[in-house]
Structures are given as C-alpha cells and as structure tokens.
Amino acid sequence: MIPVAVQLPTRLIEALAAGLVVVLLTAAIGGGVATAAADPPGPALRTEPELLDAALSCPQGVRGSRGPVLLVPGAGGDPVTVFAAGLEPVLEAGGHPTCLLTLPGAGFADFQLQAEYVVAAVREIAARSQQRVSMIGVSSGGMLVRWAVKWWPDVRSLVDDVIGIAPSNRGFDLAAPLCGGPCPPATRQLKSDSKYFEALNSGDETPGRLPYTVISSANDGTISPPYPDVNGDRNDSQTQVQAICPGREVNHAHLGFDAVAIALVRDALRHKGPARGGRMPAGVCSRIYPAGVDASDVEEQIAIGAANAGANYGSAGLFTVEQPLRSYAQRRAPDPKAILRLRPRRVEAGKRTSLSFTASGSDRRQSWPLPGASIQIAGRELVTDSNGTASLRMRIRRENTLPVRLLAPGLASASTRLLVSRP
C-alpha cells in the first residue's frame, strides 16, 4: 500500500497542477488511425487502432491558415485542463489548428506505450492536413515527443517543430522519493538514472534535421536544472524565461500559461528554426499571461488538473521495478536518409521529355514515401505528392549535366544528376 500524504510540499503541488505527478495516495490498481503508409517504418505499434483513434481530438479540424499543432500533456495531465485556458485558444487565434492527445493511464503508463499514441497522432494529422505537424509537449510530454522522433524514422519527415515547455528531459526531482515503494511506470521511468533515460539520451539527443525548442524557468521548483536541457546543435534553442525578463517568477504549473513562454512558442512556430529570445515582442515582460487568457481560468484549470491527476494516480498500475526496455530501444537508433530517384536519368538535348521523380526515406531496413518534399532542377521547384512523387515536362536545349536536389523535411538533403546528351 502507498501511504496517504497528510501535507503536500510546494514542489509537489506545482507538479500536480502541471500534470506531471500526483500525491502519495492509496490507489487501487485499477475507427482506427489512418497511417501515412500501408507498412509504416519503425517499431510496430502494439496498441489497438481504436484506442489510438479515440485518444486524438482535433476540435477545429486540421486545416488552418498555419500548420497544425499536436499538444501533448505531462503525466497525470488531462489535455483539456492543461491547454484549454492557454496554448489552445492562443494558437487557434493565430491560425494554428490544434489537436489534443489523451495519453493512456492518464499519462502514468509506460512511456514506451505512450509514445505509440504520439506516433499515431502525428501520422494521422499529417495525412489529413497534408502538412507537417508541430509538437508541443508540457512537462514529461516534452520529453515524450523526443522518444517518438528518435525511434520512428518517418515521424521526422512529418514534423515541423519540436517544442518542450518545462520538459523532463533528464529526470524529475520527486521521482526517486515517490518510487520508494510501488509507483506508476512513468514515474519510475522519470528517475534520472532510469534505463528509459539512458536510451532516450544516448547518441544524438535531438535527432533529425528539426528545430528543437526548450522553454524553462529558473524557479520551476519541480524540473530543476539540468533536467530540462538537451544537448542539441546550432539549430536548437534553450531559453529560460528569466533570460528575457530578469527576476520573473513563474513555477512549473504556470509555465504553460506564461506570456513569455507562449511568446517563445509562437516565435518558434512562425519562423524557420527554433524560438529565439531576441525576437520577443515589446512589452512581453509586463504581462503575466497572453492577451485573451484569463487569470481566474488559469487557476481553475490548474486546480482541476491537480484533482484529476490525484484521482488517476494508480490507473496504470503500481510497480516496484522499471518496465523493461523494448527491443528496439536496446539497439542503436535509426539514422534515416532521403533518397531521390529520377527517370529517365539521361535525356536528349532539344527534345521535350517527361521526367518523373520519387522521394523516399530509408533507414536500411525499411523505406517510405516523402510527401511535401521539395525537388529543385534547372531553376524550377516541384513538391512531391502524398506518394512522394512529382513529374515535369521540360526541354533542355544544350548538352549539359544538371544537378537535381531533394530537400526533405527532417532529413539530410539528397541529390542526383540529369545527363543531357547530344541529339
């Protein structure tokens, strides 16, 4: 049995409100998603399609004036209470259709299981919108989206931005004391020395040619430095709100509603690359919350979220050992490449010829089409369709060798050449 907590420390209350963990309570263990390809690459999803389908909600659809966004809550967080008073209305007002993901076990289930829901959601939204999907994860949700990108190679080519708000990228202060006895699978995996984190942070911590944005607070109180950090490259950013507004007070529970944090999110979504603190709008430090966000709604939803988290603490079961790593996570992570095929490879100068292009991704085990990829040839640019193909009729008047370049989202560029021979 888990002892009932009589008095909660402040840090634990903040974690509750953000949907990361819950109090030490006595707990009882208590139409399919259409994928982008018939046999999508990466580990097979074990979860029933009906469950994956029911977990995804896109109230306003997936098409808007800007790209769609998938919102992923942390452990214990209900997506409605985590996002409804802040990110969801702000992003929708800015033209971004938002989709909410309800995680299994209220986010306390094995993170490897939860990642399947993220993967299925990204594939579904991309297929329906015909656009790349930005992922925003709060608390442990900010770490969870990295797992999906790391092990499912096609997800990299379907994602635009990866954004973590107070993400638990290396652990969580209270995981060890919470797991002094039986605890939910996700809480045990949040221990900084877990096998889960060892696998997540092995090798490249920001895989894929994607921008990663990490947003944190110096006085978070729940995810203490260096837990939010990732070792990324120059196309990534890590920003504490205090670097923009010195002395700003914002804890873990409120960071997802904070005016500066949401300004950084909007900046990342509106520009190529990650968020940059130097582009913040004037006067952002004078606001606690963004325009249109009501302080009383924020506090009400934080309280509801904490109550929901407490009620669902044991819904994924309580265990004394960490869930074993699945076989795919015991191997080296895939390093997918873009491949460009051109037919014909040789044409005759002065003759109008039909060219066909096929863009695909490959991780040496599997391959998949790359929709929305850019193909550049002779000053012209084509975009591949849902099957990763494009075609063009053209006449090249002189003997030449023309470079053909493929720019594929999330992957390194690929190239080939078209040989133009004498008539």
Side-chain angles (χ1 to χ4, degrees):
M1 299 290 286
I2 295 184
V4 176
V6 176
Q7 185 173 4
L8 302 182
T10 301
R11 288 191 305 161
L12 188 51
I13 293 174
E14 292 177 1
L16 273 164
L20 177 63
V21 297
V22 297
V23 296
L24 297 175
L25 297 173
T26 301
I29 297 179
V33 172
T35 56
D39 295 306
L45 304 185
R46 302 181 184 180
T47 306
E48 292 294 328
E50 293 79 7
L51 296 177
L52 298 175
D53 182 46
L56 179 64
S57 172
C58 303
Q60 307 301 321
V62 296
R63 294 182 181 273
S65 59
R66 298 180 185 271
V69 177
L70 175 64
L71 300 175
V72 183
D78 172 78
V80 174
T81 58
V82 172
F83 300 115
L87 275 170
E88 186 180 7
V90 170
L91 294 180
E92 288 181 351
H96 293 279
T98 58
C99 295
L100 306 175
L101 190 61
T102 301
L103 297 171
F108 289 113
D110 181 352
F111 282 126
Q112 297 168 104
L113 169 63
Q114 295 186 52
E116 296 190 3
Y117 286 72
V118 177
V119 171
V122 169
R123 288 172 173 168
E124 171 71 0
I125 298 166
R128 287 167 52 188
S129 68
Q130 295 297 298
Q131 296 185 75
R132 284 184 288 165
V133 183
S134 291
M135 298 192 293
I136 303 176
V138 173
S139 198
S140 63
M143 165 273 296
L144 180 60
V145 297
R146 290 178 51 226
W147 186 273
V149 171
K150 184 180 182 78
W151 300 107
W152 279 268
D154 67 310
V155 171
R156 301 182 192 184
S157 57
L158 301 175
V159 167
D160 198 358
D161 279 275
V162 180
I163 302 172
I165 300 177
S168 52
N169 282 320
R170 300 184 180 281
F172 162 53
D173 289 354
L174 298 176
L178 282 167
C179 291
C183 65
T187 309
R188 192 168 294 278
Q189 288 168 323
L190 284 169
K191 294 178 63 178
S192 60
D193 61 351
S194 70
K195 293 295 184 182
Y196 179 84
F197 276 123
E198 182 179 346
L200 175 64
N201 293 324
S202 63
D204 187 357
E205 294 185 13
T206 56
R209 304 301 172 92
L210 300 169
Y212 288 75
T213 296
V214 174
I215 303 167
S216 61
S217 172
N219 44 45
D220 183 313
T222 297
I223 305 294
S224 302
Y227 291 147
D229 298 344
V230 290
N231 294 322
D233 57 31
R234 62 184 180 182
N235 195 39
D236 305 323
S237 70
Q238 303 189 90
T239 308
Q240 286 190 346
V241 295
Q242 288 80 14
I244 299 168
C245 307
R248 191 175 184 87
E249 291 289 334
V250 53
N251 62 26
H252 189 75
H254 288 82
L255 190 60
F257 303 92
D258 181 70
V260 180
I262 292 182
L264 286 164
V265 168
R266 297 178 70 184
D267 182 81
L269 296 176
R270 291 180 176 182
H271 296 87
K272 289 186 177 181
R276 300 296 182 192
R279 294 192 294 244
M280 292 296 94
V284 68
C285 294
S286 65
R287 289 184 171 274
I288 298 176
Y289 303 118
V293 173
D294 185 85
S296 61
D297 289 343
V298 170
E299 297 304 326
E300 180 181 2
Q301 294 203 357
I302 286 176
I304 292 173
N308 288 342
N312 289 299
Y313 181 68
S315 60
L318 303 172
F319 300 86
T320 58
V321 295
E322 183 180 348
Q323 298 297 298
L325 285 179
R326 296 188 180 180
S327 58
Y328 69 80
Q330 299 178 40
R331 300 190 297 264
R332 186 174 180 177
D335 184 20
K337 309 294 184 184
I339 298 174
L340 174 63
R341 292 183 174 86
L342 166 65
R343 293 183 181 179
R345 297 286 301 276
R346 183 191 297 266
V347 299
E348 188 177 300
K351 182 178 179 181
R352 183 174 292 276
T353 308
S354 294
L355 301 174
S356 63
F357 308 86
T358 302
S360 60
S362 174
D363 67 351
R364 296 185 179 181
R365 295 186 180 91
Q366 299 166 287
S367 62
W368 61 96
L370 294 177
S374 171
I375 297 173
Q376 300 173 348
I377 177 173
R380 302 179 70 172
E381 183 172 7
L382 312 173
V383 177
T384 58
D385 61 18
S386 59
N387 297 312
T389 62
S391 61
L392 173 69
R393 281 184 62 83
M394 65 185 303
R395 178 188 291 118
I396 304 169
R397 301 188 181 281
R398 292 179 296 180
E399 180 182 3
N400 202 348
T401 300
L402 294 179
V404 186
R405 189 182 186 200
L406 168 66
L407 299 177
L411 305 176
S413 62
S415 62
T416 186
R417 291 182 179 275
L418 174 67
L419 178 61
V420 185
S421 60
R422 293 181 180 180

